[in-house]
Amino acid sequence: MSDKRDDRKTLYTAADLDGVDHLDSQPGQAPFVRGPYASMYTQRPWTIRQYAGFSTAEESNAFYRQALEGGQRGLSVAFDLATHRGYDSDHPRVRGDVGKAGVAIDSVEDMGRLFDGIALRDVSVSMTMNGAVLPVLAAFIVAGEEQGADQAELAGTIQNDILKEFMVRNTFIYPPQPSLRIVGDIIAYTAKAMPRFNSISISGYHMQEAGASLVQELAFTLADGREYVRAALARGLDVDAFAPRLSFFFGIGMDFFAEAAKLRAARLLWSRIMAEFGPQNPKSLMLRTHCQTSGVSLQAQDPYNNIVRTAFEAMSAVLGGTQSLHTNSFDEALALPTEFSARIARNTQLILAHETGVTDVVDPLAGSYYVERLTADLAEQAWALIEEVETVGGMTRAIEAGWPKAQIETEAIRQQAAIDTGEQVIVGVNRFQREESDPVDVLDIDNHAVRQAQIERLDALRAGRDAQRVEASLGALARAAQDGGNLLAASVEAMRARATVGEVSDRLRAVFNEHDGSPALVRGVYGEALGQDPQLQTLIARVAALDEPPRLFMAKLGQDGHDRGARVIASAFLDFGYAVETSALFQTPEEAAAQAIEAGAHVVGVSSLAAGHKTLLPALIEALGAAGREDIIVICGGVIPEQDHAALEAAGVAAIFGPGTKVLDAGARVLDLVTGKRRNA
């Protein structure tokens, strides 16, 4: 989303560069404002990556091979949510998640199938994994070994950015302190054994997707990075042994020039932060980043507009100097991308690299009055926020207090209010709407079939392995967790023995326990932003006229931790006068039904962003019915293709709110359902 700032002027001149001290910076020289490398794209374009995982390892493998043949230069793996959360595919808590938002990986065998015919010593592999990072990275290492690759030959990046998960994405497993220990162990192991591998990708992308402003994304991401450096140094590592292999990951939204300036400001500030640690290698001061175009800017309405949005965002990332780039597919506001949409997204980068001339010159925006001023302003504002983090004791303490999450959530609610009032224009959504939208073919994955196949493979794996060796390796892992010892090294041994992702994660759960993050809702922000809006005041009056306020229970089912939508809705409905409770994350349908009944809910709202709705919503309705509470209204919202609406309605879902829904309209519709139910009672 755009991060509009009131202090932006309509005209910038040379006078606006007074006091800007980075103007003499050269590409490839600290503080790297103009790029980390002197030649930038004139010698070698950015790495084209497409983040993808499709249900099974075999289907994902076929996609990867096709992408590499089509000009992609690196692989980015999307894992399903069961894998992210450290559950094997046969675990009862993940029945709606297996193979849905990425590829299911339970074992080294699955990892081997994922890269069958793809030489891991020859290709760079990026893996977005944080919660179950130990067994997944260990499985990748062992799969490489079994291809004949030495660990030192493996190239790529593991995200390994757990602090961000506690703020926004929520695919955590363990509490912050042991999670930070895992990060440090991975940095230490890879620094010694895997010199071509980036041990961490410090991510702001998911912060922006959760609603963070550009300043918040920049500040909190770099503050996370500072915390990880301190964690590595606390293990006795020399800063130059690991700092050159740190990488970053930023989101790129529709604020075109500011997004480019953000990347320039990020390099400036990271150079400043790293100078604190006294490195001798200039590469330790250098911020290198992967970028991904925005998912939240994609719209379900008039979805072919998303191709244009993504192209502008990709250009902004390149002008800002990214080292690699993923372009989202236009249909991702509707469902998982198809081969057709993924090809358009990849070709967007190829056209950008080969037809526009952006690779002919280093940092073409340098010297722009506007961009240089934006760079300096973003750096100044972000630095002030970074220093504020320091006053509370660093990012781990700030996250434990819930402060960054509350800051981001408040900004997300303000953004939603700006969209609902039309202050922020989105073409095809709140302006220039079409009567009808073009039909779009979307990808549909048979979750049941994928899960059943994974269960059969797990059964075969467990029947054929050396059970004593597995147990011995898991015992060694538990002792390392309790007594000290590198947890990645112990996980590699466990995966060599054919332990599963779930077994490794469960053994660590037994030592570290699980994290339960349920912060309080933000109140008053949506209502204040809309003020005396007539529709808002009418809705508030209607709710106030009832004998008791409608009670909404907002639920997150399955392993989908993306809670921006659920929390924005819950906060706004509080401002309408509803009584609102929210579930803990990662609920089963049966748990959510029991909690909703205990809360006396009139309505259960389910936010679904990871494609599990066709399994989980009918199970929720069935659980309510089994308890004799068919009277509780069930509604849902999120990324739900129109082709799924009929099945959900037949199962008993009373209303479906897709992307782009005005929250005020949703509030009025839900009130109509509640009052209609009461009249008919």
Side-chain angles (χ1 to χ4, degrees), residues 123-161:
V123 66
S124 171
V125 178
S126 172
M127 292 177 284
T128 299
M129 177 53 61
N130 302 284
V133 63
L134 286 169
V136 168
L137 179 55
F140 172 78
I141 291 169
V142 176
E145 290 175 344
E146 295 182 358
Q147 280 191 359
D150 188 270
Q151 291 186 26
E153 295 179 288
L154 298 175
T157 302
I158 188 78
Q159 191 165 97
N160 193 28
D161 177 10

Side-chain angles (χ1 to χ4, degrees), residues 33 239 261 289 313 371 389 442 526 530 627:
V33 175
V239 66
T289 189
E313 291 168 349
V371 171
V389 169
V442 298
Y526 188 89
L530 270 71

Side-chain angles (χ1 to χ4, degrees), residues 592-649:
Q595 285 190 339
I597 292 167
E598 184 178 353
H602 302 116
V603 182
V604 177
V606 177
S607 170
S608 177
L609 297 174
H613 49 270
K614 288 199 296 184
T615 300
L616 298 173
L617 275 159
L620 170 66
I621 293 167
E622 184 179 336
L624 290 170
R629 293 305 308 271
E630 298 92 341
D631 60 304
I632 295 178
I633 299 164
V634 175
I635 63 173
C636 65
V639 180
I640 301 175
E642 280 194 28
Q643 68 187 40
D644 294 347
H645 287 200
L648 293 178
E649 289 164 351

Side-chain angles (χ1 to χ4, degrees), residues 565-580:
R567 294 183 66 80
V568 167
I569 291 293
S571 296
F573 273 54
L574 279 172
D575 292 353
F576 301 157
Y578 282 72
V580 180

